[in-house]
Amino acid sequence: MLLAIWVFYAVYFSPTQGWTFFLQLTVDGIILGSIYALIALGYSMVYGILKLLNFAHGDVAMIGAFIGFGVLTLLGGPLSPAIPVVALVACMFVVAMLGSGFLGLAIERFAYRPLRDAPRIAPLISALGVAFFLENSVLLLFGANYRNYDGYDLISYNGIHLGGSAGVFVSYLGVMVITGALLLMVGLVALVRWTRFGKAMRAVSFDREAAAMMGIDPDRVIATTFFVGSALGGAAGVMFGLVYSQIYYLVGFLAGLKGFTAAVVGGIGSIPGAMLGGLLVGLVESWAKGYLNGNVADLVVFGILIGVMLIRPQGLLGTPALQKV
Amino acid sequence: MADTSPPTPEPPAAATAQIGVDSWVSEEDQRREGRKWLGRTWERLPPAGKLALLTPAIAVPFLPLSEANIYNYGLFILIYALLALGLNVVVGFAGLLDLGYVAFFGFGAYIYAFLSGTHHEKGHVYTHHWAAQWSILTAVVMCAVIGLFLGSSSRRLLGDYLAIVTLFFGQAFVVFTNSADPYGITNGSNGLGNIDPLRFFAFGASFTVSSTRGYYWFLFGCVIVVLIVLHLLSESRTGRAWKASREDPLAAEMMGMPVNRLKIMAFSFGAAIAGLAGSVFAAAQTGAFPQNFGTQVLILIYAVVILGGTGSLTGMLAGATAIIVSFQVLDSTSPPNNARTLFYLSLVVGVVVIFKKSRAQMAVAVASTVALGFALHAIVHEVWPRGTSGQVTSGGYLTGAIKHWVLLPTNPNRLAVYGYLALIVLVITIVQLKGWWRVAVVPPTIVLTAFVWENLLIQQPAVTRYVLFGVLLIALMATRPQGLFGTAKVEIA
């Protein structure tokens, strides 16, 4: 409600920029939001099944971005690709998703599985340690300088003009990111809803002990969940690199926080919630960047998080947490 | 724990269950005996012995250390001890995960800097030269109040959500001090530089702390006072209520404890201590800069608290000493050979810990490690001369040994990166293996560790230390979550 008022106010009273500017920001926000939604899905799935905030998830996405960059460099770089661009991009996504998926598996195995029955605070601290370890390892190995993805050089500078040349511009890269994110989300929903693994995952997240008694191996289901969530994070990392053209070792921290905000705003543990939350966070950030300024945008996003958590702690689409005794 | 030990045939009279006393409670002493040696020795130590642990801290200003070393080691240890004591109230006593704790440290520093100094930024001139006691008091009270607000905003939120809100709070603080402040109060990323030293005015007289040693003594006094207050507090009604609500909030609520109010209180109390640490830190550093209050500092404080043992007061001092000494030795301004000594020492300690159960295995592992290093060096020297032609980075007394034992390629960039990745895989493998399999994997791991250290890590000790702290947090949580001096938590099924 407040959001709607603010958006209307901003559009109505901005002196030079009309609705075109607003729509342009909205399109950018949707592109950004689909990346955040992918990151949010990883947080949400892990929280749904383990009730654990995986702080390291943003950094897993960062590693995905670096793996994608490695593939890009190996295959000739953005300016002179050795194989057709479509194949190259597909390669980047597949390798990055596999790489971060296996990283997620390893993290689960070594940082979280030993703490399955520990007090709640222990895996959280362990997660902090993992995040810090990943960030600084990348800093150690690859240095602090930016790596250039040059996504627009790689794909295309062109795009679709909606409403004439003065209208809203959607780059082909943006179209690709939105389509890719949508495909992955549809795939995930199908996986969770219609496969045996999805059924097992829902069962474990509902009641781990009862699921174990029904012959489901919770450890395997949890590990697979980590794999899928981290792979989505890796894909988000590559998309982030393509859209922003630059990555460096701290890129996962802020993107992770925003993805996390998205998961919480949508209702942590809920998959449609994560998508909605991602979209919302992307839109708000884009609008705030357009109408206020870049620095304040982060604060606005944080403010929304705190506001949502005060008014509706379970998030927009979440169900209120029942405390079992 | 007692459950795993075989039941004693004839338990001593005091330990048997008596009428009206729960058997679990009456066996507490037995359980205490069964704890690990470190905790046990610590508990047997008389109070005087525990205080004796403080003597090195008292001796620091009298040692022939340079001003810079007293600042880097003595002052930092005390500031982090103070910060850890505060965080210990939040995490250790009340069991809340506060990831915005470092923001209170920052608030304290900025409030002191603003109230006791001159700044003119963006057309605004702020000249307040308050006496130190009033600015410190304001900083402490303000932090407590902000903590109260933040705590009550997360009141309705379940455990994890507090972590999120505080994480964002910490992040928002950094963003705000860096860039988003319209009135120039924080002076953006340049920070506030023109700050008074600690200058106390009372009854017409003034007293200024000006030397590093002076700050050391002042902080030392602060730590002692906070220690005493926290000790009394933890034994008090409130302290017991904190621990009860940490162990089982629901049961505590049922017993009539105002759990929410207790949690907010702990939160605010910790924030106040951080504010105190921050204000003294700003005065000692004569400045407050945004980069002093980032995530890295937060990790450092957590490493101190976790290593020391959540809930233990003296553990915080020990943890601060261990963490800050290794942190400063691994600083890029410290001589690299100190870092090297620390590194090889911890490698030795690591081997001892891994093989503490079997002397034979340890002997075999150590012998084959040494042999493997020399053999590998000899082979590579014959096959690929470039692989051993590099120079030892600023070597000291260990140069000779390193030159003949560790592979030093001339241009190790890519090799070192592969070595690092392989090292992670090997360490993970070691954790999986048991017995003689482990003995087989340890020597190549150590040789590889030395290779990665000499070719990659020693060039960037400042990054390495953060990697190591990250690993420390993970490893401690998996193996010894109670830290050095903490008591093992009771598991509630």
Side-chain angles (χ1 to χ4, degrees), chain A residues 184-207:
Chain A
L184 286 172
M185 288 182 212
V186 169
L188 178 72
V189 169
L191 181 77
V192 171
R193 194 164 288 177
W194 290 309
T195 61
R196 280 172 70 84
F197 160 69
K199 205 184 239 178
M201 188 185 138
R202 280 178 287 147
V204 171
S205 101
F206 191 74
D207 188 332

Side-chain angles (χ1 to χ4, degrees), chain B residues 162-187:
Chain B
L162 184 76
I164 312 167
V165 171
T166 50
L167 184 65
F168 275 92
F169 177 70
Q171 206 50 37
F173 177 79
V174 173
V175 172
F176 178 77
T177 48
N178 255 320
S179 47
D181 158 31
Y183 299 106
I185 296 173
T186 62
N187 196 21

Side-chain angles (χ1 to χ4, degrees), chain A residues 47 206 266-270 312-322, chain B residues 158 161:
Chain A
Y47 191 87
F206 191 74
I268 198 156
S270 140
R312 211 180 142 78
Q314 72 271 33
L316 296 179
L317 298 186
T319 42
L322 288 178
Chain B
L158 295 171
Y161 288 84

